[in-house]
């Protein structure tokens, strides 16, 4: 197995206009590093506003125009330009969007699944393939002629998943594929990801549903205020959480109903609120002097990564 995707030290900021014509840079993703191997599911878990969607958009090359991106994004070892991303998008890299509103309300389902084609020949071939994949996802021929408002929530979700698979992708990025779905449809959706893994597709599964992440992922990356603060093995979310490294990850795990709901006090700082020091400083029960003014780096600890001084040599 090799690395399919490498995200290396990316930062994203927006120019914000304050009083008068003053500008300031608002950093929303900071020095973010992660990788996905072929056939691996990496879940990215984080509360609202932690930067999950922006990460997806940066990889797919669909950030808004006023966003500044730095750092490297590599696909199979090759650094991607925005033009490369455009070529890979909808072919080797597919996106399952957060909302079914992504579907065009005025276009028939099969037409939007197939998309633009260069020739009639290509259109015919794609239509055959589309039908096969739709069939596989239990979407009968009648669905082809439907418009988005005629689909149930579960059907719409299956349309998005099958559309993403139409191009034989090697990497699928799914942004919050489960909210608002009933339990059965959630399980069905997670099964789709298991099948992708069996087909050796790498999956980045963005979610704030820790149960979904624990159910299907091989590893879990934890986001906090635009930082990756830990990348853990899924199996480490067990027992008393003694194999988890970062105090926030441990707190998340302890907050699961099965572990007694020990919520960590306080809130995730907004961008611009973290001046110096560790982003988790205000809420951390293990903080010490160094954490106040110095920012910890993401370091490797065996097969996981953590951003916390406690794990640095000599700490
Ligand atoms: N176009 C933009 N201009 C300025 N700030 C933005 C823009 N888009 C996103 N942000 C900010 O970047 C931060 C991260 O946004 P993002 O959408 O990635 O969060 P998220 O983790 O996906 O949240 P959610 O779980 O609610 O989907 C947020 O604080 C958001 O306000
Ligand atoms: S670096 Fe310090 S404040 Fe941050 S999580 Fe580790 S111990 Fe807590
Ligand atoms: Mg989002």
């Amino acid at each position: 197995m090799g690395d399919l995707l490498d995200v290396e030290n990316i930062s994203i900021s927006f120019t914000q206009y304050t009083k008068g014509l003053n500008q300031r840079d608002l950093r929303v993703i900071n020095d973010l590093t992660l990788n996905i191997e072929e056939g691996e599911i990496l879940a990215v878990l984080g509360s609202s506003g932690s930067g999950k969607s922006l990460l997806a958009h940066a990889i797919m090359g669909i950030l808004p125009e006023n966003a500044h991106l730095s750092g490297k994004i590599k696909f199979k070892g090759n650094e991607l330009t925005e033009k490369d991303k455009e070529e890979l998008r909808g072919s080797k890299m597919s996106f399952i969007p957060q909302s079914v509103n992504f579907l065009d309300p005025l276009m028939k389902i099969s037409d939007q699944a197939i998309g633009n084609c260069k020739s009639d020949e290509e259109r015919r071939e794609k239509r055959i393939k589309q039908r096969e994949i739709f069939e596989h996802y239990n979407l009968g021929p009648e669905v082809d002629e439907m418009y988005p408002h005629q689909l149930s929530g579960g059907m719409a979700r299956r349309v998005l998943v099958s559309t993403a698979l139409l191009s034989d992708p090697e990497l699928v990025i799914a942004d919050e594929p489960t909210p608002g779905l009933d339990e059965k449809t959630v399980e069905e959706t997670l099964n789709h990801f298991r099948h992708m893994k069996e087909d050796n597709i790498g999956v980045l599964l963005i979610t704030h549903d820790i149960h979904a992440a624990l159910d299907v992922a091989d590893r879990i990356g934890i986001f906090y205020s635009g930082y990756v603060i830990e990348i853990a093995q899924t199996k480490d979310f067990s027992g008393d959480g003694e194999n988890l490294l970062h105090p926030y990850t441990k707190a998340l795990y302890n907050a699961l109903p099965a572990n007694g709901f020990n919520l960590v006090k306080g809130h995730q700082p907004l961008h611009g609120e973290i001046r110096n020091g560790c982003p988790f400083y205000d809420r951390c029960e293990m903080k010490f002097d160094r954490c106040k003014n110095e920012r910890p780096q993401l370091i490797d600890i065996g097969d996981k990564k953590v951003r916390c001084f406690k794990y640095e040599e000599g700490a």
Side-chain angles (χ1 to χ4, degrees), residues 95-272:
F95 186 44
I96 303 178
Q98 182 159 4
S99 163
V100 290
N101 297 336
F102 234 78
L103 293 170
D104 182 341
L106 301 176
M107 206 171 172
K108 280 187 191 166
I109 295 300
S110 61
D111 290 342
Q112 48 189 314
I114 290 167
N116 293 332
C117 298
K118 290 191 194 86
S119 62
D120 288 346
E121 171 78 24
E122 188 187 344
R123 178 164 293 280
R124 267 194 298 279
E125 280 172 13
K126 270 195 165 177
R127 198 169 282 284
I128 293 169
K129 193 159 171 214
Q130 174 256 324
R131 192 79 303 283
E132 273 172 19
I133 295 182
F134 270 43
E135 209 60 59
H136 182 74
Y137 282 94
N138 209 6
L139 296 162
E142 68 286 358
V143 177
D144 292 356
E145 298 302 309
M146 287 182 177
Y147 290 89
H149 74 272
Q150 295 172 296
L151 304 175
S152 68
M155 281 163 93
R157 186 54 53 195
R158 279 180 273 145
V159 164
L160 290 176
V161 171
S162 4
T163 302
L165 293 178
L166 236 164
S167 60
D168 282 330
E170 294 177 40
L171 174 70
V172 167
I173 296 182
D175 193 359
E176 304 276 7
T178 55
L181 301 180
D182 59 62
E183 215 173 297
K184 182 168 163 278
T185 318
V186 169
E187 188 45 38
E188 196 180 282
T189 306
L190 295 181
N191 258 333
H192 301 334
F193 294 114
R194 293 189 184 100
H195 291 147
M196 288 179 204
K197 180 179 163 67
E198 281 166 16
D199 287 340
N200 214 28
I201 296 176
V203 179
L204 178 67
L205 173 64
I206 292 173
T207 180
H208 34 232
D209 182 348
I210 189 167
H211 297 284
L214 292 176
D215 236 2
V216 294
D218 298 291
R219 289 183 300 148
I220 301 186
I222 312 288
F223 272 35
Y224 190 80
S225 285
Y227 290 87
V228 169
I229 49 120
E230 176 161 0
I231 298 183
Q233 300 287 332
T234 305
K235 61 178 169 18
D236 292 336
F237 287 79
S238 58
D240 291 335
E242 64 277 6
N243 291 328
L244 296 170
L245 300 174
H246 198 281
Y248 178 63
T249 318
K250 286 177 186 282
L252 267 185
Y253 180 66
N254 285 329
L256 286 175
N259 301 331
F261 261 132
N262 300 313
L263 292 176
V264 59
K265 287 195 199 78
H267 71 279
Q268 170 183 280
L270 298 173
H271 314 290

